[in-house]
Amino acid sequence: MSRRRLLIGGAAGVAGAAVAAWAIGADDSPVLWYKPATVSAKTERKKRPLPSRNDQIANLQAGHVYDILIIGGGATGAGCALDACTRGLRTAMVEADDFASGTSSRSTKLIHGGVRYLQKAIMQLDYEQYKMVKEALHERANMLEVAPHLTRPLPILLPVYKWWQVPYYWFGIKMYDLVAGDRNVKSSYYLSKKNTLELFPMLKSDNLCGGIVYYDGQQDDARMNLAIALTAARHGATIANHVKCTKLYKTAGKLSGARLKDEMSGKEWDVKAKCIINATGPFTDSIRKMDDSTIKEICCPSSGVHIVLPGYYSPEHMGLLDPATSDGRVIFFLPWLKGTIAGTTDMPCNVTHNPKPTEDEILFILTEVKNYLNPDVEVRRGDVLSAWSGIRPLVSDPNKPDTQSLARNHIVHVSPSGLVTIAGGKWTTYRSMASETIDAAIESANLKPLFRECQTDGFLIEGAHGWTPTMYIRLVQDFGLEMEAAQHLAKSYGDRAFAVAKMAAMTGKRWPIIGKKVHPEFPYIDAEIRYGVREYACTAVDMIARRLRLAFLNVQAAAEALPTIVDIMAEELNWSDAEKKKQMKDASEFLANEMGQMVNRASRDKIPINLSKDEIQTYIKRFQIIDKDRKGFVSINDIRRSLKNYGEEVTGEQLHEILKEIDTNMNGQVELDEYLQMMSAIKSGHVAYSRFARMAEMEEEHHERETLAKKISVERSGGGL
């Protein structure tokens, strides 16, 4: 075995030297490996006020001839809009739903070069894969610099459980650093078993040899997408969400315009454009077929499911990579906005506007996560706070005669009529994809931009200009915001956080002075709802999913905050009572179907409640006796107090066990429906014994004895008068 490990380690070293020599020789110059970063944050903050959505719609209807009309408001579409308008082209962008409503808000939240792709490049001596990784690493550096408030470097731990894998993984990660060159975030390093467990104490320690830590970036994807779109708007682009393209027009065989429909008002109109860009992700083929109904489909959609678990599942500042799951996929386990993201899966699917996570995919992720965590961290189905599915638009390249194989990178294709399609790729490379797309549009439509070259490398995004890591302190001191809320505003809005804070309502308390929370467990405040409307939020779903990230973090909390959010939006948008009800219904359906609430509930409700009316009344009575304060739930303190009444002292671990057996929501509280579920399970034999149920019986018996004693006392008192 030791000889085998030695051979593998030696082979890795030889392969490393060979690949390094090959990669350096493959470039035009070895210097390019260490080429200084061209990223240099630039551009002054635009003073131009953000036009309202009504103004944007009016501009689209004004009869202008646009140089470029972009269909699709995801990361790529927004990137194209920013690239085009900063080159001096008259630009319009429309999105049928909301900005980032599709795949762009449902990512793993990583900004990365692709460790897996580099592994393939080395093992297969694939220069194309190497170039793809190198480009992505440059874009990673760019995103971290141009939007520092929405991004952060994130160390990711790769745990190693076999000694021979230490040099193998170490070499691979060092190559990742080497390819990044001066654009590297921070250097990777090896950790001993002891140090690995100090940094990631939840990790399984059995057979652990150590860990290798490397750095990538992390972002708030939906808000990044929105910030790019808002930056384009401030630089002159006309952008509108909830505006659908229903038809393409041609003049002499070339595209000349489109029919648009405002999904909010139902109004339709025509717009003229010299060039039309299709940046619709999974819906690429639907726009291509508007151009030519006879073309073959190129999109091969794949579903990627992620789940969010409580923050205690991972350290706040370190992620984890499982490089080889049971079926060969890669699973990331990452801290994000005080929660923990785990994913992703990769399953063929149909293209849909409303992708749903499935129970099988959720259980697969939980099983893989469980393999890496120590026994103290019990991986529970009820800990899934939200779950979502994003459709990854893998594509075959229509530029090649053989369209059977999927493109490993993005493709840019210009049809005979001039439709420019950008498809595939990944979030990290949105800017370089946009640059290539606008280059193709300029050439195909013979456009005359002010600047021929792309202007967006190092171009600061909305909120970045005046942001500093300690900016939140000014928000606390100047406005009287709670520190957690101030930190959240600074990270989400950058230097625009001051504009948000000015809209905050007084709390009526000594502290904080302003900023009413929309949910007690999260830092989101009322002012964000009002500001979100100015960021083009038109529906309650726009708000809970993409202006605030509440739906992605905790689907139950989002449902609880929904009435408050709808009330504030109704004030801003003048909604009628009927419209408020519609928004509540639509948002509730979104949470149930697309954010995992329905599968969470279905998992919990597998055991039916088979109780008679009399039994239900009995159990409700018992529950209410324990819930002395009429809170609607029983807390761990109620349980401790109840047991203490009978002289039964319990340890914290025992209390945890009692709560765990019945707290299916995993929120530290036992609600009435959970109690009835447990009693039904006991009756049906699914659960043999419940300490909590026995405690409720004892409380009822004690309560009845007390009631009887009082009755006797009253009767005796009455008899003595």
Side-chain angles (χ1 to χ4, degrees), residues 452-612:
R452 194 82 190 175
E453 299 299 319
C454 172
Q455 302 294 301
T456 57
D457 197 352
F459 199 94
L460 291 180
I461 300 301
E462 173 98 349
H465 298 80
W467 180 85
T468 66
T470 54
M471 193 188 82
Y472 72 92
I473 297 173
R474 285 170 54 202
L475 290 167
V476 174
Q477 294 177 337
D478 296 352
F479 290 93
L481 276 167
E482 186 181 67
M483 189 177 77
E484 187 187 14
Q487 288 174 325
H488 155 68
L489 291 184
K491 288 177 181 176
S492 297
Y493 302 91
D495 61 17
R496 304 282 171 182
F498 297 98
V500 181
K502 287 175 184 176
M503 296 182 177
M506 303 289 285
T507 63
K509 301 176 184 177
R510 186 184 64 80
W511 188 264
I513 298 169
I514 65 165
K516 291 181 180 177
K517 286 186 175 183
V518 297
H519 192 281
E521 296 171 23
F522 291 87
Y524 301 114
I525 61 172
D526 59 315
E528 294 181 77
I529 316 301
R530 302 189 190 281
Y531 193 79
V533 171
R534 288 152 180 79
E535 292 181 320
Y536 307 127
C538 299
T539 69
V541 173
D542 294 350
M543 193 65 71
I544 61 174
R546 293 173 287 275
R547 302 310 179 277
L548 317 181
R549 303 312 308 276
L550 197 50
F552 283 82
L553 291 169
N554 189 318
V555 69
Q556 187 61 36
E560 291 165 5
L562 201 51
T564 301
I565 290 169
V566 168
D567 283 344
I568 298 173
M569 290 190 76
E571 292 175 17
E572 292 290 324
L573 295 168
N574 298 314
W575 285 344
S576 64
D577 287 343
E579 182 62 23
K580 285 171 67 175
K581 286 180 182 176
K582 179 182 181 297
Q583 291 294 331
M584 285 290 296
K585 179 175 177 290
D586 291 348
S588 297
E589 288 178 357
F590 169 79
L591 293 173
N593 295 317
E594 297 183 51
M595 290 291 111
Q597 192 177 41
M598 189 173 287
V599 285
N600 282 358
R601 193 177 294 145
S603 171
R604 190 182 73 197
D605 294 345
K606 280 182 180 176
I607 302 171
I609 297 177
N610 296 318
L611 300 172
S612 68

Side-chain angles (χ1 to χ4, degrees), residues 254-325:
K254 293 290 183 180
L255 288 175
S256 57
R259 183 77 171 170
L260 303 180
K261 179 183 178 182
D262 183 354
E263 298 282 29
M264 304 311 296
S265 68
K267 188 173 181 179
E268 296 190 30
W269 68 94
D270 295 336
V271 65
K272 295 179 181 178
K274 297 173 186 175
C275 180
I276 296 178
I277 292 174
N278 173 15
T280 54
F283 304 96
T284 292
D285 287 323
S286 63
I287 302 298
R288 292 178 72 240
K289 287 188 174 182
M290 281 187 196
D291 175 42
D292 180 357
S293 60
T294 64
I295 53 101
K296 291 182 179 179
E297 295 186 355
I298 61 169
C299 187
C300 180
S302 170
S303 164
V305 168
H306 295 81
I307 63 174
V308 169
L309 298 164
Y312 55 73
Y313 269 84
S314 66
E316 190 177 350
H317 299 292
M318 180 169 282
L320 182 140
L321 167 66
D322 177 357
T325 61

Side-chain angles (χ1 to χ4, degrees), residues 18-253:
V19 170
W22 159 77
I24 291 172
D27 265 329
D28 295 331
S29 166
V31 177
L32 290 178
W33 267 69
Y34 296 100
K35 180 182 174 183
T38 58
V39 177
S40 178
K42 58 190 179 187
T43 71
E44 294 180 6
R45 175 173 166 172
K46 275 282 181 182
K47 303 294 184 184
R48 180 188 186 226
L50 199 63
S52 68
R53 184 176 182 277
N54 287 339
D55 291 339
Q56 300 280 30
I57 296 293
N59 282 336
L60 284 171
Q61 296 172 347
H64 301 305
V65 178
Y66 289 97
D67 291 318
I68 288 179
L69 169 64
I70 299 155
I71 305 170
T76 307
C80 287
L82 181 58
D83 190 295
C85 71
T86 52
R87 295 200 206 192
L89 295 168
R90 174 169 273 185
T91 306
M93 177 181 73
V94 295
E95 162 59 46
D97 195 338
D98 184 28
F99 305 121
S101 58
T103 310
S104 297
S105 64
R106 304 172 192 236
S107 72
T108 311
K109 323 302 179 196
L110 279 179
I111 309 168
H112 63 121
V115 174
R116 286 180 303 158
Y117 301 123
L118 183 61
Q119 181 189 28
K120 290 178 183 176
I122 293 171
M123 301 303 289
Q124 300 169 13
L125 298 182
D126 189 330
Y127 182 56
E128 289 302 313
Q129 293 263 18
Y130 158 72
K131 281 204 306 183
M132 186 171 71
V133 174
K134 190 174 181 182
E135 176 189 58
L137 289 170
H138 171 81
E139 295 304 320
R140 179 187 69 178
N142 182 65
M143 287 181 73
L144 288 167
E145 185 161 351
V146 303
H149 56 302
L150 290 169
T151 63
R152 64 166 179 166
L154 179 69
I156 299 175
L157 173 70
L158 201 163
V160 183
Y161 287 90
K162 294 178 181 176
W163 280 110
W164 68 266
Q165 290 179 335
V166 172
Y168 176 78
Y169 286 136
W170 180 88
F171 161 72
I173 295 301
K174 280 299 175 186
M175 286 296 292
Y176 194 58
D177 291 350
L178 185 62
V179 174
D182 284 356
R183 286 150 287 186
N184 199 25
V185 179
K186 290 184 181 180
S187 293
S188 59
Y189 53 91
Y190 171 75
L191 287 171
S192 66
K193 176 178 179 177
K194 179 184 175 184
N195 290 338
T196 299
L197 292 173
E198 276 183 14
L199 286 173
F200 209 116
M202 307 84 176
L203 205 60
K204 183 173 71 177
S205 60
D206 294 350
N207 301 318
L208 180 68
C209 302
I212 295 165
V213 176
Y214 73 97
Y215 284 80
D216 262 327
Q218 189 177 50
Q219 65 169 338
D220 183 338
D221 53 3
R223 287 214 60 87
M224 174 67 88
N225 191 157
L226 180 64
I228 297 164
L230 296 178
T231 307
R234 290 201 191 270
H235 285 81
T238 301
I239 66 170
N241 55 346
H242 299 285
V243 173
K244 186 177 183 179
C245 174
T246 60
K247 187 178 180 181
L248 299 178
Y249 293 120
K250 295 179 184 177
T251 302

Side-chain angles (χ1 to χ4, degrees), residues 353-530:
H353 286 280
N354 313 108
K356 302 174 185 177
T358 66
E359 183 66 15
D360 287 347
E361 288 172 303
I362 291 171
L363 292 177
F364 166 78
I365 295 171
L366 288 174
T367 301
E368 295 301 328
V369 165
K370 191 174 184 178
N371 291 337
Y372 274 88
L373 300 183
N374 70 46
D376 286 342
V377 184
E378 187 177 354
V379 180
R380 306 178 295 189
R381 175 61 182 83
D383 279 347
V384 177
L385 302 176
S386 68
W388 68 85
S389 171
I391 300 178
R392 186 178 174 213
L394 303 172
V395 289
S396 54
D397 192 345
N399 299 308
K400 296 180 179 178
D402 174 21
T403 60
Q404 297 302 309
S405 58
L406 296 175
R408 287 170 292 189
N409 206 344
H410 63 272
I411 61 101
V412 176
H413 176 257
V414 182
S415 75
S417 66
L419 178 68
V420 180
T421 294
I422 169 69
K426 59 182 180 176
W427 226 119
T428 306
T429 56
Y430 84 91
R431 192 205 63 83
S432 59
M433 289 163 60
S435 174
E436 190 178 330
T437 305
I438 301 304
D439 286 344
I442 290 170
E443 185 178 345
S444 68
N446 196 26
L447 302 175
K448 307 296 181 187
L450 288 176
F451 304 99
R452 194 82 190 175
E453 299 299 319
C454 172
Q455 302 294 301
T456 57
D457 197 352
F459 199 94
L460 291 180
I461 300 301
E462 173 98 349
H465 298 80
W467 180 85
T468 66
T470 54
M471 193 188 82
Y472 72 92
I473 297 173
R474 285 170 54 202
L475 290 167
V476 174
Q477 294 177 337
D478 296 352
F479 290 93
L481 276 167
E482 186 181 67
M483 189 177 77
E484 187 187 14
Q487 288 174 325
H488 155 68
L489 291 184
K491 288 177 181 176
S492 297
Y493 302 91
D495 61 17
R496 304 282 171 182
F498 297 98
V500 181
K502 287 175 184 176
M503 296 182 177
M506 303 289 285
T507 63
K509 301 176 184 177
R510 186 184 64 80
W511 188 264
I513 298 169
I514 65 165
K516 291 181 180 177
K517 286 186 175 183
V518 297
H519 192 281
E521 296 171 23
F522 291 87
Y524 301 114
I525 61 172
D526 59 315
E528 294 181 77
I529 316 301
R530 302 189 190 281

